[in-house]
Amino acid sequence: MTAADLRVKKTLLGIENSFLELLKSKEFSKITIQQIADRAMINRATFYLHYTDKFHLLEELIQKRMDRILNIYRPAAHLTEGILYKDRFINTIKYVFQLVEEDSGFYELLIKREDIGNLKHRFETAILHVFQERFHSLFGQQALPLPKDILLTFLSTAISSMLYWWLANSKPYTPEQMALFIVQLSIKGPINGSGLELTP
Amino acid sequence: MTAADLRVKKTLLGIENSFLELLKSKEFSKITIQQIADRAMINRATFYLHYTDKFHLLEELIQKRMDRILNIYRPAAHLTEGILYKDRFINTIKYVFQLVEEDSGFYELLIKREDIGNLKHRFETAILHVFQERFHSLFGQQALPLPKDILLTFLSTAISSMLYWWLANSKPYTPEQMALFIVQLSIKGPINGSGLELTP
DNA sequence: ACAAATATGTTGCTTATTTGACAGTTACAC
DNA sequence: GTGTAACTGTCAAATAAGCAACATATTTGT
């Protein structure tokens, strides 16, 4: 059952595609293992060699995506030499958007459905972990006027919300542009960053 | 190796799709077994379990289509009771066009390529066989003023040419319409059938 | 509430496919 | 030329997947 075996790769791929196809036309609770197997052109028993049930399958599919976010490429220290904190920050956000863009078939399907997985919350926590893990690389050892956790939570929910907006509005900007918007708003704050004036 | 086994069905399907995909971008001679295997997500050795080489594969793909034409559905005698010879004639031609339409991905790819299979000739012979085999059902026991073989050959090449024209011009009419055109031209002849006047 | 139908997990046995290796051929660059 | 890289066809051993049958659940219709 090593995932290197072509047969395994092919059935896993088949199950995944079959399941996502079915999700387009049916709600999760109405999908049966037999239907998944039929579309994937595999025997029903084979499904159980890889997943315990459809909940497990869904969970794996989501977790796989979250893992990709958690393992976003981070250049080795000597490669970031001389690169501004700001640019590292931009790149990290850009990568998140790129990952979602590459897999937008999956994400566009899932975010608008309440019958399955609280995806938004999982987004937020995944992003939170990324920023937690590489806080110093991104922001340096600067003194903070407020608890780090508050800053990180604020950032994560903001980015997650922007992702949702972006998907719901059919990705009107590139990942790069989205990252720039977010960084601008993060640096100057949403009020000053947007050019709003609070004083008449 | 019964074709009922899901694994067999899936690999045969994979090989076929993979091969046709490759044919879109490469000429036949440049295609390797490894490339076919890679796209189909099968091991190269598996290819040889089903085909001796790529020539065999191509041959099977074409033959499969010709077999479908040769085995065009013919309603049982008691079902054709009271149906005119003309209508049976129309239906038979219509079925041929429908078969090609259902599989037009394959046909549109193949007819315009000289590097592979003399498809047009095989079309003609397949159609010829169909009409030979059901001559009496289609035309009855009428006395002919010319050899039957000449009539059948004339008809077959005409239909085959119409198929080619139809595909090359992106199927501008339905199979039904094409059948009607052909029957009209066959009954009245291309001159009178088209309304042309030879006398000034 | 019941019965009938459908869906779920699981099993033993069979079989198609994978894998890596092999020797022989073809293609191509230096 | 001569090497070397890629393609071909075939093999034995290991294994994933197929299949049919089973006993339980769950759903559905009346």
Side-chain angles (χ1 to χ4, degrees):
Chain A
M1 292 285 264
T2 32
D5 193 313
L6 260 177
R7 290 171 291 188
V8 178
K9 279 189 197 168
K10 204 179 0 175
T11 65
L12 291 182
L13 197 62
I15 289 175
E16 178 164 339
N17 289 336
S18 167
F19 178 61
L20 292 180
E21 284 287 318
L22 284 168
L23 265 181
K24 287 180 189 164
S25 57
K26 292 173 132 68
E27 52 180 307
F28 179 71
S29 66
K30 301 290 184 197
I31 295 176
T32 79
I33 310 294
Q34 184 66 64
Q35 291 166 352
I36 298 175
D38 285 346
R39 262 186 200 250
M41 292 186 76
I42 60 165
N43 193 281
R44 192 167 58 85
T46 308
F47 178 91
Y48 294 105
L49 294 179
H50 300 284
Y51 302 102
T52 64
D53 50 35
K54 61 181 178 179
F55 302 96
H56 183 207
L57 167 60
L58 174 64
E59 175 55 29
E60 292 278 291
L61 293 195
I62 296 178
Q63 192 55 49
K64 192 164 81 178
R65 268 75 180 185
M66 294 306 112
D67 285 344
R68 287 192 201 132
I69 291 179
L70 291 171
N71 295 316
I72 280 174
Y73 168 70
R74 175 176 43 179
H78 71 280
L79 288 177
T80 62
E81 201 62 50
I83 297 184
L84 298 177
Y85 290 143
K86 181 180 166 186
D87 290 333
R88 295 183 204 165
F89 186 32
I90 292 176
N91 281 336
T92 303
I93 300 176
K94 191 179 73 178
Y95 290 151
V96 175
F97 277 81
Q98 282 174 345
L99 279 181
V100 174
E101 189 179 43
E102 286 166 12
D103 212 356
S104 54
F106 174 86
Y107 287 109
E108 283 168 10
L109 179 62
L110 282 239
I111 63 162
K112 61 184 64 151
R113 313 193 106 215
E114 274 104 33
D115 53 338
I116 37 185
N118 44 354
L119 208 50
K120 190 168 186 180
H121 179 254
R122 299 183 63 171
F123 255 138
E124 286 170 11
T125 30
I127 294 168
L128 177 65
H129 283 311
V130 169
F131 282 88
Q132 258 170 354
E133 178 246 344
R134 59 187 68 174
F135 182 82
H136 288 103
S137 164
L138 291 172
F139 305 114
Q141 320 253 12
Q142 309 163 41
L144 293 176
L146 78 177
K148 194 173 104 178
D149 285 350
I150 289 188
L151 169 60
L152 289 175
T153 303
F154 184 86
L155 264 180
S156 305
T157 54
I159 295 174
S160 161
S161 301
M162 296 295 270
L163 264 171
Y164 265 63
W165 173 88
W166 187 58
L167 281 172
N169 291 79
S170 47
K171 307 191 288 295
Y173 301 102
T174 66
E176 171 102 31
Q177 290 174 312
M178 288 303 292
L180 288 172
F181 291 153
I182 291 172
V183 170
Q184 178 180 4
L185 291 170
S186 300
I187 292 175
K188 301 191 177 179
I191 301 300
N192 290 335
S194 66
L196 283 179
E197 286 292 346
L198 288 182
T199 52
Chain B
M1 293 287 264
T2 32
D5 193 312
L6 261 178
R7 290 171 292 188
V8 178
K9 278 189 197 166
K10 207 180 355 175
T11 66
L12 291 182
L13 197 63
I15 290 175
E16 178 164 342
N17 289 336
S18 167
F19 178 62
L20 292 179
E21 283 287 318
L22 284 168
L23 265 181
K24 287 180 188 164
S25 56
K26 291 173 133 65
E27 52 179 305
F28 179 70
S29 66
K30 301 290 183 197
I31 295 176
T32 79
I33 311 295
Q34 185 67 63
Q35 291 166 353
I36 297 175
D38 285 346
R39 262 184 199 251
M41 291 187 77
I42 60 165
N43 193 282
R44 192 167 58 87
T46 309
F47 178 91
Y48 293 106
L49 293 178
H50 300 283
Y51 303 102
T52 63
D53 50 34
K54 61 180 178 179
F55 302 96
H56 182 208
L57 167 59
L58 174 63
E59 174 55 29
E60 291 278 291
L61 293 195
I62 296 179
Q63 191 55 48
K64 192 165 81 178
R65 268 75 181 185
M66 294 307 112
D67 285 344
R68 286 192 202 131
I69 291 178
L70 290 170
N71 295 316
I72 279 174
Y73 167 72
R74 175 175 42 179
H78 71 280
L79 288 178
T80 62
E81 202 61 51
I83 297 183
L84 299 176
Y85 290 143
K86 181 181 166 186
D87 290 334
R88 295 183 204 166
F89 186 33
I90 291 176
N91 281 336
T92 303
I93 300 175
K94 191 179 73 178
Y95 290 152
V96 174
F97 277 81
Q98 282 174 345
L99 279 182
V100 174
E101 189 177 45
E102 287 166 12
D103 212 358
S104 55
F106 173 86
Y107 287 108
E108 283 168 10
L109 178 63
L110 283 235
I111 62 163
K112 61 184 64 153
R113 314 190 108 218
E114 273 103 34
D115 53 338
I116 37 185
N118 43 356
L119 207 51
K120 190 168 185 179
H121 179 254
R122 297 183 66 172
F123 255 138
E124 286 170 11
T125 26
I127 293 168
L128 178 65
H129 283 311
V130 169
F131 281 87
Q132 259 169 353
E133 178 245 347
R134 60 186 67 175
F135 182 83
H136 288 101
S137 165
L138 291 173
F139 306 112
Q141 320 254 11
Q142 311 162 41
L144 294 177
L146 78 177
K148 193 172 104 178
D149 284 350
I150 290 188
L151 168 60
L152 290 175
T153 304
F154 185 85
L155 265 180
S156 305
T157 53
I159 294 174
S160 160
S161 301
M162 296 295 269
L163 263 171
Y164 265 63
W165 173 88
W166 187 59
L167 280 173
N169 292 79
S170 47
K171 308 191 290 292
Y173 301 102
T174 66
E176 170 105 32
Q177 290 174 312
M178 288 302 293
L180 289 172
F181 291 152
I182 291 172
V183 170
Q184 179 181 3
L185 292 169
S186 300
I187 292 175
K188 301 189 175 179
I191 302 301
N192 290 335
S194 66
L196 284 178
E197 285 291 346
L198 287 182
T199 50

